[in-house]
Amino acid sequence: MDSILEFLSNIQWWQWIIIGIIIVAIRDIFFQRRHTISHNFPVVGHLRYLLESIGPEMRQYFVANNREELPFNRIERGWIYASAKKENNYEGFGTDRDIYAHQHIFINNAMMPYKVEDNNPSAKDKSFVPCAKVMGAFNKRKRPYRPASIINVSAMSFGSLSAKAIESLNKGVKIADAYHNTGEGGLSPYHSNGGDVVFHFGTGYFGVRAKDGGFSMEKMKKLVEDNPFIRAIEVKLSQGAKPGKGGVLPGKKITKEIAEIRGVVVGKTVLSPPNHKAFSSVPELVDFIEDIAKETGLPVGIKAAIGKLDQWEELAQIMAKENRGPDFIAIDGGEGGTGAAPPSFADHVSLPWIYGFSDVYKLFQKHDLTERVVFIGSGKLGFPAKAAMAFAMGVDCINVAREAMMSIGCIQAQICHTNRCPAGVATQSKWLQNGINVPLKSERLAQYFKTFKKEVMEITHAAGYEHPCQFNMNDIEMNVDDHNLTKNFDQTFRYQKTPVAFSGMQDLKICKFLGGVKANKSD
Ligand SMILES: Cc1cc2nc3c(=O)[nH]c(=O)nc-3n(C[C@H](O)[C@H](O)[C@H](O)COP(=O)(O)O)c2cc1C
């Protein structure tokens, strides 16, 4: 024994390295059958796996140019980070974009900008931009809601985001006068920190789930009664990243807290099917919406990604004929994000926002419905010029998901589906989310929203308007390589937006529905 120990202790450090390499080589050649590359190129073959695993970070930090990356390039991310931190978000020396590139958009400025008089609410508060329409006004809901901000937080659930991220977003929307969409995971304590909430549910009915996995109206009513800060309800039909695809919530992720919030059993896997149990046709969807609105008094809307239009046509026909239906419609673009989706869905199923939205808007316009519906857009619209474009096309509000995540620290690591989010935003790991400083991050979300609204208003004034709802399709042009060929949006998409009834910022400021109507328990 002593002689073996003595022999081992006489081996030099570099000899240990050689022994290690020989052991790895023997394992690669004779004992592992899973990787051809390491078998055929023992030891060095491992380098390939190592480089591949750190490739995205290497490209993001060193290789990709400022405008190259997707979903969001460095300039876009930098603008959000700087805006959220109230740092200098300007760029020097002129644009680094190729403004002659195909599909580049231009906003037509007026010869003389809109003059903001001293008595205009925008003169005092540069980020005061409420929605120009009231949700639920046409259908005479008991508690109509005029969102106090044109930019709001899109559906992202507690479960896909961490508790600290949700809490930061909710406290942030409170500061910024915006609303916070719960996403599919139900209403958690982290959504209940003072911000307005839009309660969202999908086929899993989390938070309003009956024992059989269907929808419970009793739970819905109780939820709204107990939480007066819920301002509207959104029924999810689909989302851009994975339309028509159900989901699985594995039992091991269902902790006691998540089980309570979602209304499911601890440790038992839950399936969200692709279809709703509560309705299976367009007329049934309309009945369902009306039932919820009647029982809760709140405006009820739908969220969907767009592909085929026949069922949308049916919906518009019913709405026009029966004067019923959704108070708001959120159209999500195929470029939308998610916690996890198969690439084949994320890349190919459903239309990009600009095509999907224009299809649906035109269809509703044909039935004379655009004035009664609040249109919401989501799909990389969290930038002032994109927002101006979306308003010109007909949206009344914008929802942002990933841009909001970035404002609270997301670094676009694109590993939300692994539970290893390094920024603590899209993970349930206690350790990783402990790095989130909630008061600081909520200020950052609020500051991003304020800067966003201020810059949208500056663009609006530059175009000669008082409110972004006044943008129309002639205000935006899309490059088709030569200015003689460049077309206004109305020629490109073949519709003109229905003018939004707007009588001035002051009227929005004194509107009794601004920020919603308080719940009256006796109702
Ligand atoms: C982490 C994460 C979770 C999401 N969860 C939901 C959800 O529960 N329900 C839903 O309809 N959309 C969900 N979405 C989609 C967003 O609400 C939004 O529609 C989409 O990301 C487009 O907006 P964006 O480009 O600003 O990110 C999620 C997106 C992300 C990034």
Side-chain angles (χ1 to χ4, degrees):
M1 187 65 180
D2 283 352
S3 57
I4 295 174
L5 284 177
E6 197 186 329
F7 172 74
L8 289 176
S9 64
N10 283 337
I11 298 177
Q12 305 287 307
W13 63 268
W14 55 269
Q15 290 170 319
W16 278 117
I17 294 176
I18 291 173
I19 291 167
I21 291 174
I22 292 170
I23 292 171
V24 172
I26 292 170
R27 175 196 161 270
D28 284 350
I29 298 168
F30 299 108
F31 294 105
Q32 71 83 27
R33 308 300 308 163
R34 286 160 56 98
H35 303 293
T36 313
I37 295 290
S38 4
H39 174 270
N40 294 354
F41 302 93
V43 183
V44 285
H46 290 273
L47 276 179
R48 177 189 177 276
Y49 300 109
L50 175 74
L51 291 175
E52 195 177 56
S53 70
I54 59 169
E57 284 81 2
M58 302 291 272
R59 284 193 292 279
Q60 186 179 81
Y61 292 122
F62 301 115
V63 182
N65 74 34
N66 285 345
R67 297 282 183 187
E68 207 169 57
E69 291 164 277
L70 287 167
F72 297 92
N73 63 45
R74 194 175 293 143
I75 294 280
E76 291 170 326
R77 296 197 309 272
W79 180 82
I80 294 173
Y81 297 141
S83 301
K85 293 179 192 159
K86 216 177 172 182
E87 287 173 354
N88 183 345
N89 66 359
Y90 284 22
E91 61 186 27
F93 213 64
T95 181
D96 64 352
R97 283 192 86 154
D98 175 8
I99 65 168
Y100 292 93
H102 192 66
Q103 293 207 340
H104 189 76
I105 58 155
F106 311 102
I107 299 162
N108 286 322
N109 58 304
M111 186 179 170
M112 293 180 204
Y114 175 83
K115 187 164 186 312
V116 182
E117 302 292 350
D118 290 348
N119 60 356
N120 191 305
S122 303
K124 275 205 201 77
D125 180 356
K126 295 198 178 345
S127 52
F128 175 75
V129 205
C131 176
K133 287 188 196 157
V134 176
M135 288 178 181
F138 177 85
N139 290 318
K140 300 200 173 45
R141 308 299 187 206
K142 272 198 199 127
R143 293 173 57 196
Y145 176 53
R146 184 191 289 280
S149 167
I150 53 162
I151 173 168
N152 298 286
V153 174
S154 196
M156 289 182 286
S157 56
F158 167 53
S160 71
L161 298 194
S162 65
K164 290 218 174 176
I166 298 279
E167 190 179 337
S168 306
L169 294 176
N170 194 267
K171 290 185 169 162
V173 296
K174 180 172 164 45
I175 305 170
D177 273 341
Y179 66 69
H180 184 183
N181 188 312
T182 58
E184 283 184 77
L187 181 82
S188 70
Y190 315 106
H191 289 104
S192 314
N193 286 286
D196 280 357
V197 162
V198 171
F199 181 76
H200 163 113
F201 63 85
T203 57
Y205 302 112
F206 298 127
V208 287
R209 189 176 160 96
K211 281 222 167 74
D212 66 354
F215 173 77
S216 161
M217 186 64 88
E218 283 315 304
K219 286 197 175 163
M220 178 89 256
K221 272 169 68 176
K222 179 146 176 33
L223 190 81
V224 171
E225 265 165 37
D226 292 349
N227 301 286
F229 52 83
I230 298 181
R231 301 291 179 189
I233 295 163
E234 184 175 84
V235 183
K236 174 181 163 177
L237 303 177
S238 57
Q239 72 178 95
K242 45 178 179 182
K245 172 143 179 47
V248 183
L249 186 62
K252 62 176 187 252
K253 274 195 158 181
I254 306 185
T255 58
K256 192 165 171 286
E257 184 181 35
I258 291 197
E260 267 163 29
I261 292 167
R262 297 201 176 202
V264 295
V265 180
V266 180
K268 196 170 162 206
T269 297
V270 181
L271 296 178
S272 298
N275 295 98
H276 275 270
K277 273 192 174 177
F279 54 88
S280 52
S281 66
V282 179
E284 283 175 20
L285 167 66
V286 174
D287 290 344
F288 182 61
I289 289 170
E290 289 298 323
D291 287 348
I292 298 178
K294 195 165 138 255
E295 295 292 340
T296 62
L298 290 178
V300 180
I302 52 177
K303 170 173 179 174
I306 309 302
K308 294 180 186 184
L309 293 177
D310 44 350
Q311 288 167 323
W312 288 98
E313 173 69 38
E314 193 183 347
L315 174 64
Q317 281 178 10
I318 296 173
M319 288 172 70
K321 192 163 152 229
E322 300 175 11
N323 281 335
R324 309 179 319 133
D327 299 294
F328 63 94
I329 299 182
I331 303 286
D332 200 26
E335 60 272 67
T338 176
S344 47
F345 265 80
D347 295 349
H348 298 289
V349 187
S350 84
L351 294 172
W353 186 82
I354 199 164
Y355 303 137
F357 180 81
S358 52
D359 279 356
V360 169
Y361 189 88
K362 267 190 282 190
L363 198 149
F364 274 68
Q365 202 173 43
K366 187 178 81 182
H367 292 279
D368 207 11
L369 294 167
T370 39
E371 278 156 287
R372 63 163 96 163
V373 174
V374 173
F375 286 98
I376 301 171
S378 56
K380 293 170 69 169
L381 297 176
F383 303 92
K386 282 282 208 64
M389 174 202 80
F391 272 90
M393 296 180 72
V395 305
D396 303 294
C397 275
I398 280 169
N399 279 354
V400 291
R402 289 164 295 177
E403 298 91 320
M405 289 167 71
M406 285 190 269
S407 75
I408 60 165
C410 157
I411 58 166
Q412 191 171 275
Q414 292 175 268
I415 49 172
C416 315
H417 57 295
T418 64
N419 206 27
R420 288 190 283 111
C421 170
V425 175
T427 176
Q428 296 310 306
S429 150
K430 287 264 181 295
W431 168 257
L432 291 169
Q433 55 177 305
N434 267 347
I436 294 186
N437 173 344
V438 173
L440 180 78
K441 297 298 181 183
S442 47
E443 274 298 335
R444 294 231 170 123
L445 182 275
Q447 192 53 52
Y448 159 55
F449 274 20
K450 283 184 191 167
T451 308
F452 179 102
K453 287 191 270 185
K454 179 177 125 318
E455 293 194 12
V456 171
M457 286 304 279
E458 286 165 353
I459 294 178
T460 304
H461 297 155
Y465 300 127
E466 186 183 2
H467 187 284
C469 73
Q470 295 170 295
F471 274 113
N472 66 62
M473 297 291 266
N474 293 335
D475 293 318
I476 314 288
E477 293 189 27
M478 183 179 275
N479 213 355
V480 279
D481 294 346
D482 178 312
H483 196 219
N484 296 317
L485 298 175
T486 297
K487 287 179 172 175
N488 282 346
F489 258 35
D490 63 341
Q491 293 159 323
T492 309
F493 293 99
R494 303 211 182 119
Y495 73 95
Q496 182 51 276
K497 179 183 136 178
T498 316
V500 176
F502 172 70
S503 51
M505 280 292 195
Q506 184 59 25
D507 286 349
L508 298 190
K509 197 171 175 198
I510 58 174
C511 169
K512 64 180 177 181
F513 301 133
L514 184 64
V517 179
K518 288 213 171 59
N520 182 351
K521 289 248 172 186
S522 63
D523 281 345

